[in-house]
Amino acid sequence: MPLNDERPASTSSGEEQGSDVESSSERCDSMTSTSDADCSRESFTSDGSSKHCTPSSSPPKTLTLEEVMESTRDLSNLSIAHEIIVNRDFHLEPDSLPQDSLWKLVRDNIHKAFWDILESELNDDPPEYGEAIRLLEEIREVLLSFLNPGANRMRTQITEVLNMDLIRQQAANDAVDIQGLAAYIIGTMGKMCAPVRDEDIKKLRESPENIVTLFREIFRVLDLMKADIVNFKIYNLRPVLQRQGVEYERATFQSILDKTPSALEHTTSWIKSTLEELSTSITKQPTGGQGKGQRLMPGPFQVLNVAFLRILTWDYDKSPLPETWMTDETRLREIQWRLQQDQAVNEVLLIIYSTVGGPIQGLPFLSDRLKRMISVLLDGMHSPDFNLEEALESVSAQICCELNKSLTERSYPALSPALQATLTGQIRSITQKDNPIRTLVEDRVQQFFMALISAPKPQVKLEQVPAGLTAIKPELASVGAKFISLVNYNKVVYGPFYADIIKKLMFTSSPPAANPPQDSTRDSVPSN
């Protein structure tokens, strides 16, 4: 931990942020993509140019507890590293538990019991110092852990002042200066803490004379300082991981596969189901007078692009995510929720303008107001306790009021009761999966995202929304940028694994290997 003029600026309050994954995948976005037509079958059927590029199947084996624990640690390291790379906002918060949780209740009771014992001991005549000495020992170790390896002078001073053998001798003779030790600890914390904690240190110096209360506050501030140090390290580590993130994540995932050969099971199933779906739908035109169509195998890049598109609408209740996407599950869920809400808003707006027609056309201020109103009423529609039908009923009522107000202000007749009932019924009908407006919007959103995934330069496609989606163009562009950045980074990291799986599924009868080629990412599965 830097001292004095080297104190880190705390990151716990957030840095100047951009979108989560834009910076980490800039190099991914700049890469060009190779279309299926430009890619030869040989790139997926060849055995590779060197032996180390050729994966070998790993036979099933029984895992020991130690191997399972190592795989768990690898997965944890992979998740943390990935979060640091793609999420500029990622930082450690001081440990906090929900107010009504059992763990918080247990922890608070244990802490209260400790502080009660400490106060009772110090109030004895003569005082007992058993718990106080244990406190000082812990504080001493925490302070020492904050030091950089070269901070020898400060290390010597801490060990001399908080000399536990000497303090025990003083305690035996009732000569411990608890207040003096607390003052030294606070002063030392002030030299070590980040600037954002200066106010906390000031409050410690002004704390009341109650020594137990003072030590409770010291420990609270020490916990904050621990988080600051971790965040400072994350801040310094992020540029390194962003430069070496692809290699690190791929190597870490490979180590998980080495210990757990089945770690690509869900990924293989995801790609296999996509391949089967495409194979069923692709047929060759009859030739040579034959009346039968011949089934064609879809191209490997087509398979991968469609598989990525399916991630956007993944049913998390029915199937676990592919292992290669697990580190992005939270981001993918948020993208899906936001997109579902944007689609619903667009569907309602299409129904309004197709039902009411001319009197409300060409009024951007009205369109914006309706859009904001619908968005607010549908906010949180992904929540389990959200009743979409009731929300759409409220949306319909608010819309009818707003339209009548706008119409009367411009000397148009208000909506008739029959038209209001029709409008309400059509808006409520978007809960039905086969609703034509809903189907139209969902299909065109899929077209938009497939264009992003397939395009060599997806940034250009962000502003090119299909007809009928103009109302949510800014929202689509924002969601699309986040999603395509995740896709590009995922493709670069796990491209060799995908290439090996697709190769095995398409051109051989053997199962995919656990060890993909490690140096052919861009040759096998180019990134956008």
Side-chain angles (χ1 to χ4, degrees):
M1 180 65 179
L3 303 176
N4 300 329
D5 58 340
E6 294 183 309
R7 295 189 304 174
S10 172
T11 59
S12 57
S13 59
E15 305 151 20
E16 292 185 4
Q17 307 298 346
S19 62
D20 278 357
V21 294
E22 289 170 1
S23 66
S24 64
S25 54
E26 284 175 354
R27 63 183 181 277
C28 305
D29 291 343
S30 64
M31 295 180 185
T32 57
S33 174
T34 307
S35 66
D36 284 342
D38 296 332
C39 298
S40 67
R41 178 186 174 99
E42 293 178 359
S43 65
F44 274 80
T45 56
S46 64
D47 290 333
S49 58
S50 60
K51 289 185 177 181
H52 76 278
C53 292
T54 305
S56 58
S57 298
S58 300
K61 65 175 183 178
T62 303
L63 297 177
T64 65
L65 177 60
E66 182 179 354
E67 288 173 322
V68 172
M69 294 302 294
E70 286 182 7
S71 295
T72 302
R73 284 192 292 271
D74 287 339
L75 182 58
S76 177
N77 292 337
L78 177 63
S79 300
I80 293 172
H82 183 77
E83 199 67 28
I84 292 173
I85 293 168
V86 304
N87 184 0
R88 295 182 187 180
D89 292 321
F90 178 72
H91 63 279
L92 179 70
E93 291 285 356
D95 183 34
S96 61
L97 296 171
Q99 288 295 327
D100 56 348
S101 71
L102 176 62
W103 288 113
K104 185 177 187 305
L105 180 63
V106 172
R107 187 192 65 179
D108 290 350
N109 284 335
I110 292 174
H111 287 185
K112 183 179 184 302
F114 171 81
W115 295 114
D116 288 345
I117 292 171
L118 176 63
E119 187 168 23
S120 175
E121 286 188 353
L122 294 178
N123 288 335
D124 282 348
D125 189 13
E128 292 288 334
Y129 293 101
E131 296 298 336
I133 289 174
R134 277 189 281 274
L135 267 183
L136 292 171
E137 283 182 315
E138 185 171 347
I139 291 173
R140 176 180 181 267
E141 293 308 311
V142 172
L143 293 177
L144 291 174
S145 71
F146 289 166
L147 296 175
N148 284 330
N152 295 325
R153 185 172 62 84
M154 180 69 76
R155 188 181 307 276
T156 300
Q157 185 186 87
I158 292 173
T159 54
E160 287 179 352
V161 176
L162 296 178
N163 185 326
M164 302 317 300
D165 291 335
L166 178 59
I167 292 174
R168 287 189 182 92
Q169 292 175 17
Q170 292 172 342
N173 295 289
D174 192 17
V176 180
D177 182 8
I178 291 290
Q179 290 286 356
L181 292 174
Y184 169 76
I185 290 168
I186 294 170
T188 304
M189 290 167 62
K191 297 175 183 178
M192 295 178 165
C193 70
V196 72
R197 301 300 165 208
D198 286 345
E199 188 62 30
D200 292 294
I201 298 298
K202 181 181 177 182
K203 290 179 180 179
L204 285 179
R205 292 193 173 105
E206 299 170 353
S207 292
E209 293 296 319
N210 187 304
I211 194 65
V212 175
T213 301
L214 179 58
F215 271 105
R216 290 182 77 161
E217 287 301 298
I218 285 174
F219 268 91
R220 183 186 68 81
V221 178
L222 284 174
D223 285 340
L224 295 176
M225 290 174 63
K226 290 177 186 177
D228 291 340
I229 289 175
V230 174
N231 289 326
F232 182 67
K233 291 179 179 178
I234 289 173
Y235 178 80
N236 288 314
L237 183 61
R238 182 174 283 115
V240 178
L241 283 176
Q242 286 176 341
R243 289 194 300 270
Q244 304 176 2
V246 171
E247 292 76 11
Y248 175 81
E249 289 196 42
R250 191 185 301 155
T252 304
F253 191 79
Q254 180 62 57
S255 70
I256 295 173
L257 280 180
D258 292 340
K259 301 180 184 74
T260 315
S262 62
L264 276 173
E265 179 181 356
H266 299 309
T267 303
T268 302
S269 176
W270 162 57
I271 294 177
K272 182 179 180 181
S273 63
T274 303
L275 175 60
E276 291 173 346
E277 178 183 320
L278 286 172
S279 298
T280 301
S281 62
I282 296 178
T283 56
K284 186 176 182 180
Q285 293 295 327
T287 57
Q290 296 179 353
K292 295 182 180 180
Q294 181 180 352
R295 183 173 298 174
L296 282 178
M297 185 72 74
F301 297 96
Q302 181 186 10
V303 173
L304 198 56
N305 288 342
V306 173
F308 285 139
L309 186 65
R310 291 177 62 185
I311 291 292
L312 193 65
T313 55
W314 195 264
D315 190 338
Y316 295 90
D317 295 328
K318 291 184 178 180
S319 305
L321 266 178
E323 295 86 352
T324 54
W325 280 102
M326 290 178 66
T327 52
D328 283 313
E329 179 171 349
T330 300
R331 276 174 287 276
L332 290 172
R333 283 179 180 266
E334 290 174 352
I335 287 173
Q336 187 182 93
W337 295 336
R338 184 173 167 187
L339 191 58
Q340 288 172 350
Q341 182 174 333
D342 292 337
Q343 289 177 168
V345 170
N346 194 85
E347 291 158 14
V348 173
L349 287 173
L350 286 177
I351 290 171
I352 293 171
Y353 281 92
S354 63
T355 303
V356 180
I360 60 171
Q361 298 289 345
L363 301 172
F365 68 91
L366 176 61
S367 178
D368 290 343
R369 182 169 176 78
L370 291 173
K371 178 180 173 181
R372 289 195 301 270
M373 182 187 302
I374 299 166
S375 298
V376 169
L377 293 174
L378 294 183
D379 188 38
M381 61 180 288
H382 61 275
S383 301
D385 56 349
F386 187 89
N387 190 315
L388 183 57
E389 289 190 359
E390 291 182 1
L392 291 174
E393 188 77 35
S394 298
V395 166
S396 303
Q398 293 287 339
I399 284 172
C400 288
C401 289
E402 189 64 30
L403 290 177
N404 284 333
K405 178 183 176 183
S406 176
L407 290 169
T408 55
E409 285 176 350
R410 291 177 293 111
S411 301
Y412 282 97
L415 300 178
S416 66
L419 187 56
Q420 291 187 44
T422 299
L423 183 60
T424 299
Q426 290 186 2
I427 289 174
R428 293 183 61 181
S429 70
I430 66 172
T431 58
Q432 302 168 8
K433 290 188 176 181
D434 59 349
N435 178 275
I437 297 293
R438 175 174 173 173
T439 302
L440 172 69
V441 171
E442 290 179 350
D443 286 348
R444 291 188 178 176
V445 167
Q446 291 281 297
Q447 293 173 20
F448 172 75
F449 278 92
M450 178 53 78
L452 289 181
I453 295 170
S454 306
K457 296 182 178 180
Q459 294 86 354
V460 177
K461 297 290 184 179
L462 288 173
E463 299 298 321
Q464 301 175 5
V465 300
L469 303 181
T470 308
I472 57 171
K473 180 179 178 179
E475 290 77 12
L476 276 181
S478 175
V479 174
K482 291 178 182 294
F483 183 67
I484 199 62
S485 292
L486 289 176
V487 167
N488 286 341
Y489 189 76
N490 180 277
K491 194 185 298 184
V492 173
V493 173
Y494 298 105
F497 301 92
Y498 296 148
D500 184 60
I501 291 172
I502 294 174
K503 174 182 173 182
K504 297 293 183 180
L505 289 173
M506 294 181 71
F507 307 126
T508 71
S509 59
S510 59
N515 301 301
Q518 295 299 304
D519 61 350
S520 55
T521 309
R522 297 177 189 176
D523 294 335
S524 300
V525 185
S527 170
N528 287 336

